[in-house]
PDB file of all heavy atoms in Angstrom:
ATOM      1  N   TRP A  64    -185.145  78.107 -19.896  1.00  0.00           N
ATOM      2  CA  TRP A  64    -185.325  79.000 -21.055  1.00  0.00           C
ATOM      3  C   TRP A  64    -184.401  80.211 -21.041  1.00  0.00           C
ATOM      4  O   TRP A  64    -183.969  80.691 -22.037  1.00  0.00           O
ATOM      5  CB  TRP A  64    -186.782  79.478 -21.097  1.00  0.00           C
ATOM      6  CG  TRP A  64    -187.755  78.432 -21.498  1.00  0.00           C
ATOM      7  CD1 TRP A  64    -187.490  77.174 -21.982  1.00  0.00           C
ATOM      8  CD2 TRP A  64    -189.175  78.562 -21.423  1.00  0.00           C
ATOM      9  NE1 TRP A  64    -188.681  76.518 -22.257  1.00  0.00           N
ATOM     10  CE2 TRP A  64    -189.742  77.356 -21.922  1.00  0.00           C
ATOM     11  CE3 TRP A  64    -190.077  79.565 -21.014  1.00  0.00           C
ATOM     12  CZ2 TRP A  64    -191.128  77.119 -22.007  1.00  0.00           C
ATOM     13  CZ3 TRP A  64    -191.429  79.373 -21.126  1.00  0.00           C
ATOM     14  CH2 TRP A  64    -191.952  78.149 -21.592  1.00  0.00           C
ATOM     15  N   TYR A  65    -184.103  80.638 -19.743  1.00  0.00           N
ATOM     16  CA  TYR A  65    -183.339  81.821 -19.591  1.00  0.00           C
ATOM     17  C   TYR A  65    -181.899  81.670 -20.168  1.00  0.00           C
ATOM     18  O   TYR A  65    -181.219  82.641 -20.384  1.00  0.00           O
ATOM     19  CB  TYR A  65    -183.300  82.243 -18.091  1.00  0.00           C
ATOM     20  CG  TYR A  65    -182.878  81.090 -17.176  1.00  0.00           C
ATOM     21  CD1 TYR A  65    -181.561  80.830 -16.917  1.00  0.00           C
ATOM     22  CD2 TYR A  65    -183.838  80.390 -16.564  1.00  0.00           C
ATOM     23  CE1 TYR A  65    -181.187  79.832 -16.058  1.00  0.00           C
ATOM     24  CE2 TYR A  65    -183.543  79.300 -15.709  1.00  0.00           C
ATOM     25  CZ  TYR A  65    -182.177  79.018 -15.441  1.00  0.00           C
ATOM     26  OH  TYR A  65    -181.853  78.040 -14.584  1.00  0.00           O
ATOM     27  N   ALA A  66    -181.448  80.426 -20.352  1.00  0.00           N
ATOM     28  CA  ALA A  66    -180.100  80.177 -20.875  1.00  0.00           C
ATOM     29  C   ALA A  66    -180.071  80.047 -22.379  1.00  0.00           C
ATOM     30  O   ALA A  66    -179.011  79.869 -22.994  1.00  0.00           O
ATOM     31  CB  ALA A  66    -179.498  78.945 -20.202  1.00  0.00           C
ATOM     32  N   MET A  67    -181.280  80.112 -22.988  1.00  0.00           N
ATOM     33  CA  MET A  67    -181.296  79.989 -24.458  1.00  0.00           C
ATOM     34  C   MET A  67    -180.615  81.150 -25.142  1.00  0.00           C
ATOM     35  O   MET A  67    -180.714  82.249 -24.677  1.00  0.00           O
ATOM     36  CB  MET A  67    -182.753  79.964 -24.948  1.00  0.00           C
ATOM     37  CG  MET A  67    -183.388  78.574 -24.888  1.00  0.00           C
ATOM     38  SD  MET A  67    -185.106  78.683 -25.462  1.00  0.00           S
ATOM     39  CE  MET A  67    -184.894  78.509 -27.242  1.00  0.00           C
ATOM     40  N   GLN A  68    -179.973  80.908 -26.205  1.00  0.00           N
ATOM     41  CA  GLN A  68    -179.355  81.975 -26.994  1.00  0.00           C
ATOM     42  C   GLN A  68    -180.251  82.335 -28.167  1.00  0.00           C
ATOM     43  O   GLN A  68    -180.940  81.469 -28.716  1.00  0.00           O
ATOM     44  CB  GLN A  68    -177.989  81.490 -27.577  1.00  0.00           C
ATOM     45  CG  GLN A  68    -176.956  81.119 -26.497  1.00  0.00           C
ATOM     46  CD  GLN A  68    -176.667  82.314 -25.600  1.00  0.00           C
ATOM     47  OE1 GLN A  68    -176.427  83.419 -26.093  1.00  0.00           O
ATOM     48  NE2 GLN A  68    -176.671  82.087 -24.305  1.00  0.00           N
ATOM     49  N   PRO A  69    -180.201  83.607 -28.570  1.00  0.00           N
ATOM     50  CA  PRO A  69    -181.057  84.015 -29.698  1.00  0.00           C
ATOM     51  C   PRO A  69    -180.554  83.294 -30.978  1.00  0.00           C
ATOM     52  O   PRO A  69    -179.347  83.158 -31.183  1.00  0.00           O
ATOM     53  CB  PRO A  69    -180.818  85.466 -29.814  1.00  0.00           C
ATOM     54  CG  PRO A  69    -180.023  85.921 -28.677  1.00  0.00           C
ATOM     55  CD  PRO A  69    -179.487  84.721 -27.983  1.00  0.00           C
ATOM     56  N   ALA A  70    -181.475  82.729 -31.749  1.00  0.00           N
ATOM     57  CA  ALA A  70    -181.101  82.035 -33.013  1.00  0.00           C
ATOM     58  C   ALA A  70    -182.314  82.002 -33.910  1.00  0.00           C
ATOM     59  O   ALA A  70    -183.423  81.946 -33.412  1.00  0.00           O
ATOM     60  CB  ALA A  70    -180.602  80.663 -32.733  1.00  0.00           C
ATOM     61  N   ALA A  71    -182.058  82.037 -35.194  1.00  0.00           N
ATOM     62  CA  ALA A  71    -183.174  81.910 -36.105  1.00  0.00           C
ATOM     63  C   ALA A  71    -183.675  80.429 -36.092  1.00  0.00           C
ATOM     64  O   ALA A  71    -182.851  79.517 -35.913  1.00  0.00           O
ATOM     65  CB  ALA A  71    -182.690  82.259 -37.505  1.00  0.00           C
ATOM     66  N   PRO A  72    -184.966  80.217 -36.259  1.00  0.00           N
ATOM     67  CA  PRO A  72    -185.487  78.846 -36.214  1.00  0.00           C
ATOM     68  C   PRO A  72    -184.672  77.867 -37.107  1.00  0.00           C
ATOM     69  O   PRO A  72    -184.401  76.745 -36.724  1.00  0.00           O
ATOM     70  CB  PRO A  72    -186.951  78.986 -36.689  1.00  0.00           C
ATOM     71  CG  PRO A  72    -187.307  80.463 -36.422  1.00  0.00           C
ATOM     72  CD  PRO A  72    -186.014  81.195 -36.477  1.00  0.00           C
ATOM     73  N   GLU A  73    -184.342  78.326 -38.269  1.00  0.00           N
ATOM     74  CA  GLU A  73    -183.638  77.398 -39.187  1.00  0.00           C
ATOM     75  C   GLU A  73    -182.239  77.059 -38.733  1.00  0.00           C
ATOM     76  O   GLU A  73    -181.659  76.086 -39.136  1.00  0.00           O
ATOM     77  CB  GLU A  73    -183.626  77.995 -40.616  1.00  0.00           C
ATOM     78  CG  GLU A  73    -182.991  79.324 -40.836  1.00  0.00           C
ATOM     79  CD  GLU A  73    -183.949  80.535 -40.542  1.00  0.00           C
ATOM     80  OE1 GLU A  73    -184.959  80.304 -39.864  1.00  0.00           O
ATOM     81  OE2 GLU A  73    -183.644  81.631 -41.007  1.00  0.00           O
ATOM     82  N   ASP A  74    -181.704  77.869 -37.797  1.00  0.00           N
ATOM     83  CA  ASP A  74    -180.359  77.568 -37.258  1.00  0.00           C
ATOM     84  C   ASP A  74    -180.400  76.696 -36.017  1.00  0.00           C
ATOM     85  O   ASP A  74    -179.358  76.301 -35.480  1.00  0.00           O
ATOM     86  CB  ASP A  74    -179.608  78.868 -36.932  1.00  0.00           C
ATOM     87  CG  ASP A  74    -179.361  79.673 -38.200  1.00  0.00           C
ATOM     88  OD1 ASP A  74    -179.380  79.043 -39.292  1.00  0.00           O
ATOM     89  OD2 ASP A  74    -179.196  80.901 -38.087  1.00  0.00           O
ATOM     90  N   ARG A  75    -181.541  76.460 -35.469  1.00  0.00           N
ATOM     91  CA  ARG A  75    -181.574  75.700 -34.203  1.00  0.00           C
ATOM     92  C   ARG A  75    -181.440  74.231 -34.537  1.00  0.00           C
ATOM     93  O   ARG A  75    -182.000  73.691 -35.506  1.00  0.00           O
ATOM     94  CB  ARG A  75    -182.888  75.939 -33.428  1.00  0.00           C
ATOM     95  CG  ARG A  75    -183.017  77.366 -32.915  1.00  0.00           C
ATOM     96  CD  ARG A  75    -184.018  77.409 -31.789  1.00  0.00           C
ATOM     97  NE  ARG A  75    -184.213  78.801 -31.324  1.00  0.00           N
ATOM     98  CZ  ARG A  75    -183.443  79.455 -30.500  1.00  0.00           C
ATOM     99  NH1 ARG A  75    -182.394  78.855 -29.987  1.00  0.00           N
ATOM    100  NH2 ARG A  75    -183.692  80.696 -30.109  1.00  0.00           N
ATOM    101  N   THR A  76    -180.739  73.543 -33.626  1.00  0.00           N
ATOM    102  CA  THR A  76    -180.492  72.127 -33.902  1.00  0.00           C
ATOM    103  C   THR A  76    -181.320  71.181 -33.055  1.00  0.00           C
ATOM    104  O   THR A  76    -181.296  69.928 -33.243  1.00  0.00           O
ATOM    105  CB  THR A  76    -178.981  71.811 -33.594  1.00  0.00           C
ATOM    106  OG1 THR A  76    -178.719  72.272 -32.274  1.00  0.00           O
ATOM    107  CG2 THR A  76    -178.086  72.486 -34.589  1.00  0.00           C
ATOM    108  N   GLU A  77    -182.054  71.736 -32.076  1.00  0.00           N
ATOM    109  CA  GLU A  77    -182.906  70.881 -31.241  1.00  0.00           C
ATOM    110  C   GLU A  77    -184.303  71.547 -31.222  1.00  0.00           C
ATOM    111  O   GLU A  77    -184.469  72.707 -31.374  1.00  0.00           O
ATOM    112  CB  GLU A  77    -182.395  70.950 -29.810  1.00  0.00           C
ATOM    113  CG  GLU A  77    -181.061  70.256 -29.640  1.00  0.00           C
ATOM    114  CD  GLU A  77    -180.446  70.614 -28.285  1.00  0.00           C
ATOM    115  OE1 GLU A  77    -180.808  71.659 -27.726  1.00  0.00           O
ATOM    116  OE2 GLU A  77    -179.628  69.833 -27.848  1.00  0.00           O
ATOM    117  N   PRO A  78    -185.322  70.662 -30.983  1.00  0.00           N
ATOM    118  CA  PRO A  78    -186.660  71.205 -30.852  1.00  0.00           C
ATOM    119  C   PRO A  78    -186.761  72.157 -29.640  1.00  0.00           C
ATOM    120  O   PRO A  78    -186.087  71.887 -28.655  1.00  0.00           O
ATOM    121  CB  PRO A  78    -187.569  70.002 -30.673  1.00  0.00           C
ATOM    122  CG  PRO A  78    -186.722  68.801 -30.742  1.00  0.00           C
ATOM    123  CD  PRO A  78    -185.303  69.213 -30.777  1.00  0.00           C
TER     124      PRO A  78
END
Side-chain angles (χ1 to χ4, degrees):
W64 287 351
Y65 50 86
M67 276 179 86
Q68 297 301 313
E73 57 276 20
D74 295 338
R75 292 201 186 277
T76 53
E77 293 165 337

